[in-house]
Amino acid sequence: MSRLLAEIENDPPQLMRRLDQPLWTDPETGFRRRTVSPPAHGYRAELMAGKLPAHAAIAYDAPSIPGLEQHIWMLAGLLDLTLDSVTHRLATGDCLRFRLFGATRFSCPGPEAASYVIAQCRP
C-alpha cells in the first residue's frame, strides 16, 4: 500500500534503502525478486534484482505490458532465458536486452543460483 501511495505523491522519494526495498519470494520455485528503484509516478525505468535457485524454472505466458523493454545483467551463475522459443544462455557479466511480446521462461541449470539485475522500461 505504501508503494502505491508513494507513486502518487508530488515529491516521490529518490532514495530507497535496502531494508525498505520490497522483497517477494515465489513459494513454489524459491525465486526472489527485490524492487530496487524507489516508487515514482512518471518514470519509465525500474530496477529489480532477481535470484533463481539452481534447477528452478519460472514461466510466463505473456508479458504484463506488451512491448516492455528489459535488460537482464547477470551477476552470478547461469540463466537460460527463453523468449518466443529462442533460448539464450547467460553467464556472469552477460547482458541481454529485449522487448517482451510473448511467452518467456527463466531456468537456472545450476550448480549455483542465478543472480541478476533486471532493468525494465515501459513503452
Side-chain angles (χ1 to χ4, degrees), residues 64-118:
S64 57
I65 302 171
L68 187 68
E69 179 183 347
Q70 287 193 341
H71 304 243
I72 304 289
W73 178 36
M74 291 298 298
L75 301 177
L78 294 174
L79 180 70
D80 290 334
L81 176 52
T82 304
L83 303 164
D84 296 323
S85 302
V86 176
T87 300
H88 305 272
R89 172 148 294 176
L90 305 175
T92 302
D94 292 349
C95 185
L96 178 66
R97 176 178 53 202
F98 54 92
R99 290 193 187 276
L100 288 171
F101 288 104
T104 56
R105 184 175 190 273
F106 295 71
S107 64
C108 177
E112 63 181 293
S115 296
Y116 48 94
V117 171
I118 306 161

Side-chain angles (χ1 to χ4, degrees), residues 3 35-37 44-48 118-122:
R3 183 170 173 83
T35 302
V36 178
S37 298
R44 294 175 47 191
E46 180 178 22
L47 284 179
M48 293 169 285
I118 306 161
Q120 67 180 20
C121 306
R122 291 180 206 96

